[in-house]
Amino acid sequence: MSNETKPDLWDDCGAFWFRELPADTIESFVSGEGQDMLKIEKDRGSYWLSETGRTGAGDYATLEAAKLAGDEIIDELYAKQDETLTRDAGLDPAEWRFRNENDYVWFEALSPSYEAGTTINREGRDRWNIQVGDAELEGQQFKSAKDAAEYLAQRLAFTPTI
């Protein structure tokens, strides 16, 4: 998409412009709250980018150049968001894939060690369950996705003896 046709997603607050950064935690992803922002401010003829709580970076001659640089930062963060959220949940992105639909969040097992269709599902804050195919593991609730993954790993490691 060329820069001429790319929509301007920056909010103009008069003294500065801003865009929200992609959520980097499961809770901020689901709630939409607590997200940081990237801000552009004009100071002595130059435009400066800064992230919430951090000092400015970059000296841009025009507002358009600052917006373009900010858009690139945000695009990179969105490209890594699934991995970031997987790590936030305490899971290995090589073994689990972040998924969501209408704010329903789950992680899909990538490892062939797990049965096809194994997922860890968020039911609410500090409430996770495990589903294998179409069946939920009865009576199993976990405080975190990481706890659920550890339970699954232990379950796989258990070999009954006869």
Side-chain angles (χ1 to χ4, degrees), residues 19-125:
R19 279 189 64 191
E20 282 189 355
L21 294 172
D24 59 357
T25 68
I26 297 296
E27 293 309 317
S28 66
F29 179 85
V30 172
S31 71
E33 296 176 9
Q35 292 173 231
D36 288 334
M37 67 176 165
L38 194 59
K39 187 162 97 172
I40 300 172
E41 295 179 277
K42 187 173 184 178
D43 184 29
R44 295 183 210 140
S46 294
Y47 294 88
W48 295 86
L49 276 173
S50 63
E51 185 178 337
T52 307
R54 298 190 183 161
T55 57
D59 177 7
Y60 300 95
T62 66
L63 176 59
E64 290 72 29
K67 285 181 176 181
L68 182 60
D71 287 342
E72 288 174 3
I73 290 168
I74 290 171
D75 289 347
E76 286 177 28
L77 291 172
Y78 272 115
K80 296 182 210 171
Q81 187 179 37
D82 289 359
E83 182 178 325
T84 299
L85 294 173
T86 303
R87 288 189 192 287
D88 175 64
L91 303 176
D92 181 350
E95 293 187 19
W96 297 94
R97 177 181 296 135
F98 173 80
R99 307 297 300 260
N100 80 87
E101 186 174 310
N102 299 326
D103 294 331
Y104 179 72
V105 169
W106 72 97
F107 294 93
E108 177 182 20
L110 300 175
S111 172
S113 302
Y114 299 113
E115 293 178 48
T118 298
T119 61
I120 297 174
N121 311 296
R122 182 183 184 277
E123 290 187 349
R125 183 179 213 105

